[in-house]
Amino acid sequence: MLDGCQHRGPDSTGFALYGAGDAETYRLRFYVGTGPLAEKSVQRIGDVLAREGAQLLSGERVGGSYAASVRHKGPVQKFAYAMEHAAKLFSLGHRLEIVKDEGTAHEVDERYHLGKVEGSHGLGHVRLATESAVKPEAAHPFWATGFSDIAIVHNGQITNYWKWRRRLEKLGFEFRTDNDSELIAVYLAKKLSGGASLRQALSDSIEDMDGTFSFLVSTETEIGYAKDRLAAKPMVMVETDDLVAIASEEVSLNRLFPGQALSTREPLPGTIGTWSRSI
Amino acid sequence: MVTLDLAHLSVREANRRLRELGAAGDDVEILNPDAKHHIGVGLVHPITVKVRGSAGYFCAGLTHGARFEIDSNVGWGVGDNIYDGTVIVGGNAGAVAGVAIRGAEVIIKGNMGSRAGQVMKAGTLLCCGNASFMAGTMMYGGRIVILGRSGERLGEDMTGGEIFVAGGIDSLGTDAVETDISKTETDSILEFLERHKIPFQGHFSKVVNAGAKLRYTTPEPTLRNQPTTVAMAGGFWNAKTQEDIEVKAVTGRYRVRGYGTSRAIPHFNDIAFRRDILPDEGAVSKVNLAMELGSRSGAKPLSLSMPVLIAPMSYGALSRSTKLALGIASRLSRIAENTGEGGMIQEERDEAGQLIFQCLSGRLGWNVRDMQKADAIEIYISQGAKPGLGGQLMASKVTPELASIRGIPPGIDLRSPSRHPDVLGADDLVIKIEEFREATGYAKPISVKLGAGRVKDDIKIAFKDGFDFVELDGLQGSTGAASAEVIEHVGIPTLAAIVEAIDALREVGARKNEMPIVLMGGIKDGVDAAKAIALGAGAVAVGTAALIAGGCISCMRCQAGYCVTGIATQNPEHEKRFRTDVEAHNIHRFLESMRWQLAAIVHGLGKTDVHQLCRDDLVALTPEAAAITGLPYEARS
Ligand SMILES: Cc1cc2nc3c(=O)[nH]c(=O)nc-3n(C[C@H](O)[C@H](O)[C@H](O)COP(=O)(O)O)c2cc1C
């Protein structure tokens, strides 16, 4: 799907995938790079894991990432922040893994062997980097820093970003980038952890977020979308008995149904939607 | 019927073939379209094109006379700006279907996305299913027919045209109202449906503009109108301030005026050349000022005899005679002119040796035929005088002739949208630029006009999106009409703008003049131009200075329509006072004075080419200018 709309973002590509997982272990994906510093990062991750009382079950370097399976008891947020300070942590969750790096969908796929992953749902993103550096950590999807299993992809711009960021920081939440996508992720995660349903959290986000946006969010069992009131950012979807697929452009959806005429739908402005599936 | 298979051909190659086949009169079938963008863009021959599947953005966009049949869905902006022709979409359409059409028949068998028919001028946009929200927003003419249901805010801020809905309306937009439908109108729709073999039974509601926002209510009185020289005199309780307050006491709203800022702001006068410059009468023949502009993408660049352009200024804001004079002067000085908003007039095209054609959000006067006649294409995002606002043209200037070129109702206080219907981010912009390149066979440079605000971000996006050059306009830049609040208080100064732009380009690793910046906004002579180039600009453009050379008296009333010099007016009596040929030569001589100043400075600094000017040649004269530019405050070299 992502190679279809690579013209929107040739610089980096990312995936948030939900595999089988299990409730006892966390999967952590770090970005450690490939240079001589990578070994050091892995070591530091090991040290901090030990300090946090977590048990490292397995660890593996794939592409520029380090994927660790970990057993940890206790509050996830404190643990996540500690690990996030140890190295660039892309994701943490029982099922979620975020893989993102410079390059096209095919290049990233090849580097990280994503073709082999099996799972229930996921998000993907291609990025047009207008800043100087094309950095893996600036790529999407974004993990809701500090929360298990929540990821987001977003197209648009949140104009009241700093207002919400300061509000959330005052409540003790941490941000690792200045990216508005991360803000939405943390915002939604906070709502969810407070007991709101994903539907409710998304509806609230339309009230609270100013600007233009089309975003997709995923949790361990659900995916959802929200679209701003001006419908400024594209989004089309197709729904069958077996699956729902949402993308910026139909060319991506076509990848799933080659050669078929699709009955697509453009979600209405100011609306949200959610879908759930248990594995 | 000839077959083109997009499984094997790129869209670019297929469109090239399509144009050839069009010229030969062959119909075409396109296989495996795979929802790709720009299918058919730029076709100007009356052939039939069948697309076997879904098409992406701007299918059939910027075409004239052809018939497109798409079996399945289309993405954003189907039929963008079609002059005349037919598009039939078998499935659904994405957002802004039929955007800016100027006379086509666009038929969507399924549903259509948001903001359909935005800024359309003429023709019919038919949706057999349901329309999403804001259909007909800011439409200027033509009709939209919706057989299903319409979403919210139907006809938001429409200024002309009609919308007919058979399946109910969720809500009306601002300044839209339901009215009675006449028998002739119903018959005309039924005839249209029958002609396209679309079965229908039912009744229509009709929605038109309510007219509450088309015109300003109380006009501005002209009391003791104070020119810019008074406004600039200093102090804030000056006679201009008084005039402002007195006018507002009558109208109760913001003021709309022309011209640029009228207060002191750090500018080129606050920097100077570090070394003595010995003027040399013969300097012009001793240094190189000539340059090419716009070759970054491989298009045919503009060829300039010196790094100076005429700033984009619209026919509408300016009289036809003034546009011609600018065209003639630019040709005599071997530089380039720019249409500005509101379309290209044929005489202007003929007079100007090189002409840039500007595309604004309202797509007023914008069309594929004139694109193909232009030497470069420019997309306007904003300008220094009014970042974030669309164009304004007061009713007194919207004559029937002007209205017909722009495709709008005559006699309205015209306001064009503050942003493009189909460009809402850097990613959309890439797709839009590509559409322009397709429509002009990748042969013409494409530039962007930017008002200076978040210059760094904007320049980085412009560089990433592949523009050939940028026209960057500082806070001081002029306008034909805008609210004084925005003219004076929004944006950053020209001096700061060029410094930020060059910083941004360095940060993204651009080579010097890889994407040249044409700087404008208060450039008054060749000395300013030399300073701008020393700070990193590739060239400069002059608006106000060229107008003053042509007789402008700086009264700041360009918006009013009764410009006494015949420059900023559409009134034939006033325009008579403008002697095109005389003023053309005045403007030309002024441009030549810029050439002499540029050459004298380049030569005086011991250089042979204008682009050898650099920051080391400059010093700042004030702490503010030093802070803005990073130039040394004292010259102690
Ligand atoms: C009468 C008038 C009409 C203008 N129309 C346009 C226009 O259509 N498009 C545009 O990009 N800029 C327009 N501008 C702005 C100029 O292109 C330019 O940015 C500005 O005038 C530069 O500053 P200067 O006048 O100090 O040289 C207009 C300016 C004037 C004075």
Side-chain angles (χ1 to χ4, degrees), chain A residues 33-252:
Chain A
T34 46
L37 288 178
E39 210 41 61
K40 276 217 169 104
S41 292
V42 172
Q43 222 161 48
R44 196 168 51 246
I45 292 165
D47 294 348
V48 178
L49 279 172
R51 202 181 66 210
E52 291 298 310
Q55 183 192 351
L56 179 63
L57 303 177
S58 67
E60 185 192 4
R61 278 177 60 188
V62 192
S65 77
Y66 176 65
S69 290
V70 171
R71 193 155 290 167
H72 178 268
K73 296 206 166 53
V76 61
Q77 191 176 335
K78 186 179 154 288
F79 172 55
Y81 286 162
M83 294 319 300
E84 201 262 298
H85 291 294
K88 287 176 192 162
L89 180 53
F90 278 179
S91 66
L92 175 152
H94 296 298
R95 298 182 55 200
L96 166 69
E97 285 199 68
I98 293 181
V99 167
K100 52 186 181 178
D101 207 340
E102 291 158 33
T104 63
H106 290 293
E107 287 162 4
V108 174
D109 174 16
E110 207 163 289
R111 215 174 299 148
Y112 290 88
H113 322 296
L114 295 173
K116 297 208 192 86
V117 180
E118 280 181 29
S120 52
H121 58 290
L123 307 176
H125 189 273
V126 295
R127 174 164 185 262
L128 178 81
T130 51
E131 290 300 312
S132 50
V134 184
K135 289 195 226 118
E137 59 266 36
H140 296 224
F142 276 93
W143 165 53
T145 310
F147 295 89
S148 177
D149 283 307
I150 298 174
I152 192 163
V153 292
H154 158 232
N155 180 8
Q157 194 188 14
I158 304 299
T159 47
N160 58 349
Y161 172 82
W162 285 106
K163 193 177 119 191
W164 272 103
R165 165 121 178 216
R166 283 194 200 101
R167 209 176 272 182
L168 290 166
E169 277 177 342
K170 270 195 201 131
L171 296 174
F173 297 104
E174 292 188 13
F175 292 83
R176 57 165 305 131
T177 68
D178 288 345
N179 193 295
D180 47 6
S181 312
E182 185 189 14
L183 175 86
I184 305 173
V186 173
Y187 166 92
L188 293 172
K190 172 188 167 284
K191 294 253 169 191
L192 294 174
S193 69
S197 65
L198 185 60
R199 290 196 74 77
Q200 188 56 49
L202 288 170
S203 301
D204 290 350
S205 75
I206 291 184
E207 296 300 321
D208 288 339
M209 296 292 139
D210 239 341
T212 57
F213 51 86
S214 277
F215 62 79
L216 297 177
V217 58
S218 55
T219 71
E220 212 175 330
T221 52
E222 280 184 284
I223 58 174
Y225 80 83
K227 196 164 166 163
D228 72 68
R229 288 214 170 81
L230 288 174
K233 291 287 157 184
M235 187 184 274
V236 326
M237 58 184 292
V238 61
E239 209 174 345
T240 70
D241 290 345
D242 306 322
L243 65 78
V244 53
I246 305 178
S248 289
E249 296 178 18
E250 186 178 333
V251 59
S252 293

Side-chain angles (χ1 to χ4, degrees), chain A residues 7-8 10-11 128-132 134 155 157 212 227 229-235 248-251 254-255 261-269, chain B residues 34-35 37 54 57 72-74 76 92-95 113-115 132-134 153 419 424-428 430-431 454 457 460-461 464-465 507-508:
Chain A
H7 54 270
R8 280 188 181 263
D11 297 318
L128 178 81
T130 51
E131 290 300 312
S132 50
V134 184
N155 180 8
Q157 194 188 14
T212 57
K227 196 164 166 163
R229 288 214 170 81
L230 288 174
K233 291 287 157 184
M235 187 184 274
S248 289
E249 296 178 18
E250 186 178 333
V251 59
N254 282 347
R255 293 290 190 277
L262 292 187
S263 172
T264 56
R265 189 155 73 75
E266 192 187 81
L268 291 173
Chain B
D34 194 24
H37 302 329
S54 288
Y57 280 34
S72 196
N73 307 318
V74 293
W76 280 29
N92 299 326
S114 320
R115 296 177 281 119
S132 184
F133 96 137
M134 269 206 199
R153 291 160 78 177
R419 56 179 157 207
L424 296 145
D427 50 348
D428 300 335
V430 174
I431 303 174
R454 297 194 313 184
D457 294 339
K460 285 179 178 181
I461 291 171
K464 189 79 197 186
D465 282 1
E507 282 173 26
V508 296

Side-chain angles (χ1 to χ4, degrees), chain B residues 311-314 340-341 358 380 383 449 473 477-478 480 520-522 543-544:
Chain B
M313 294 183 280
S314 63
E341 183 171 31
Q358 208 180 42
Y380 170 106
Q383 71 186 84
K449 169 84 182 257
D473 189 16
S478 274
M520 62 188 88
T544 303

Side-chain angles (χ1 to χ4, degrees), chain B residues 167-185:
Chain B
I169 298 168
D170 284 349
S171 73
L172 291 176
T174 48
D175 213 25
V177 59
E178 263 193 73
T179 180
D180 294 336
I181 181 169
S182 74
K183 169 117 186 17
T184 358
E185 284 167 333

